[in-house]
Amino acid sequence: MPASAVQIIPAGKLVYGLQMPVTAQSTVFVAPWEANAGTEEILKIARACDASGFFYLAVCDHICVPREQAKAMSTVWYDTIATLGFLAAATTKVRLMSYVYIAPYRHPLATAKAFATLDALSGGRVILGVGAGHLQGEFETLGVDFTKRGRLLDEAIDLIKAALTEEYPSHDGATWSVHERGMRPRPVQQPRPPIWVGGSTKPALRRAAERGDGWLPQGVPEIGMPAAIDYIRTRRTKARGDAPIEIGMNSPWLYVGKPTFDIGPNARTGSGEEIAAVFRTMKELGVSHTGVRFRSRSCDELVDQIHAFGSDVAPLLND
């Protein structure tokens, strides 16, 4: 396993991104107004982020949701690649990330082809976030062994990495063997787009440390964020030497300013300086990228919050 890693965040900086609303509507995080939103709102949000210095826009991945899980998860999960391609055409600067793409569902060359093409079309703005998946019924429908998802992901990362780096990748693994099979277009980013590994379980932390260029938490790990970050860095040093890794963390729910409605428990409100202090604490833990989350009652209010964060909070993050 090579010691080198792809690093896209300037050393010592904290950047911020947004998981796209509307495109995934789990009851865990969806706002009521999203139920009737669509293309127009997606465009407004994406363009606001592009204009406000957001580092990435992220889109989730589910192909089908079993009926027994649909009440909690809903069945609204836009296709990852189609949506990111649409966002690429609607924006100019913001990066385009899968958070996360369930790599065990596909042949690794299909994943590499899709994201290499997206990188070429977007001018080099792709971040490939990958994860093992958790929805057993979805695996069963797609004919993929749920119990092997971790091993499949480990091997998929290796082969995807090879295919994004070389036109003719060579790989022999437990599941896939590839030789003398070329792929174009090639990604713009060199040596390849970064691969950030998602998940907060111990195997996911291990996988991020050993195979990823970055880490995307899925909630707070049971051992807590400081211990998780320490585990990743320790494991990283053993496996990859001094290769850097870009550590992520999601923000609490936010409202820039003084809300006139109940924004729920554990949310943070206030001035730009008061909210920036929350993110500087993350930075002290060694976090380099954060997913920001806003409470809002409409698309227009969310867009206002995006602009307020960009103008009032972002300039204070890296003082």
Side-chain angles (χ1 to χ4, degrees):
M1 196 176 300
S4 61
V6 174
Q7 189 170 20
I8 57 173
I9 300 171
K13 297 295 185 181
L14 176 65
V15 300
Y16 53 96
L18 184 76
Q19 188 91 38
M20 276 298 298
V22 182
T23 64
Q25 297 192 22
S26 167
T27 59
V28 173
F29 50 71
V30 70
W33 63 264
E34 294 179 55
N36 297 312
T39 303
E40 181 180 353
E41 289 79 10
I42 290 170
L43 285 172
K44 285 182 180 179
I45 295 163
R47 288 167 175 162
C49 289
D50 203 34
S52 298
F54 278 62
F55 192 73
Y56 68 74
L57 293 170
V59 178
C60 300
D61 180 31
H62 279 292
I63 294 174
C64 59
V65 177
R67 189 180 293 272
E68 57 268 29
Q69 276 89 38
K71 184 176 181 181
M73 292 183 62
S74 92
T75 58
V76 180
W77 297 86
Y78 283 40
D79 179 79
T80 312
I81 294 296
T83 307
L84 290 175
F86 178 76
L87 296 175
T91 58
T92 59
K93 300 183 293 292
V94 67
R95 288 179 178 263
L96 310 158
M97 182 167 75
S98 53
Y99 194 166
V100 290
Y101 204 61
I102 305 174
Y105 287 166
R106 294 98 172 171
H107 192 291
L109 291 187
T111 299
K113 180 76 165 190
F115 283 91
T117 302
L118 180 61
D119 200 64
L121 292 173
S122 67
R125 292 190 278 148
V126 161
I127 303 170
L128 173 53
V130 295
H134 67 92
L135 205 54
Q136 185 169 351
E138 190 172 25
F139 276 82
E140 292 170 352
T141 301
L142 298 172
V144 180
D145 189 337
F146 181 74
T147 66
K148 294 181 179 178
R149 65 194 186 281
R151 284 170 284 172
L152 289 171
L153 177 55
D154 285 343
E155 186 179 345
I157 292 171
D158 294 345
L159 179 47
I160 292 165
K161 192 179 295 185
L164 290 175
T165 305
E166 301 290 342
E167 182 177 356
Y168 289 90
S170 291
H171 174 87
D172 285 303
T175 303
W176 298 288
S177 180
V178 176
H179 298 280
E180 303 300 325
R181 299 293 184 268
M183 292 175 53
R184 283 186 176 270
R186 305 305 303 155
V188 170
Q189 294 181 81
Q190 294 298 318
R192 58 173 171 77
I195 299 174
W196 291 359
V197 176
S200 293
T201 64
K202 209 63 173 288
L205 302 183
R206 183 265 310 159
R207 185 174 294 115
E210 295 180 354
R211 284 180 160 81
D213 301 305
W215 174 50
L216 293 165
Q218 299 283 89
V220 177
E222 287 187 6
I223 60 176
M225 283 300 294
I229 292 172
D230 182 66
Y231 175 85
I232 289 172
R233 293 199 181 282
T234 300
R235 188 97 184 198
R236 180 72 159 196
T237 300
K238 291 179 180 178
R240 306 278 296 274
D242 60 358
I245 184 167
E246 301 187 316
I247 299 289
M249 183 175 179
N250 290 317
S251 81
W253 290 102
L254 304 173
Y255 194 94
V256 184
K258 295 182 179 180
T260 59
F261 64 103
D262 182 6
I263 63 170
N266 304 317
R268 300 298 183 90
T269 69
S271 66
E273 173 55 39
E274 288 171 317
I275 291 177
V278 175
F279 291 91
R280 288 197 291 265
T281 300
M282 295 182 189
K283 192 176 176 183
E284 290 170 2
L285 288 175
V287 171
S288 58
H289 56 94
T290 178
V292 295
R293 304 184 296 173
F294 301 103
R295 292 294 192 194
S296 61
R297 295 163 293 180
S298 68
C299 179
D300 287 342
E301 185 169 38
L302 175 58
V303 167
D304 288 344
Q305 282 292 299
I306 289 167
H307 286 309
F309 189 92
S311 62
D312 300 349
V313 180
L316 306 176
L317 298 183
N318 294 298
D319 287 349

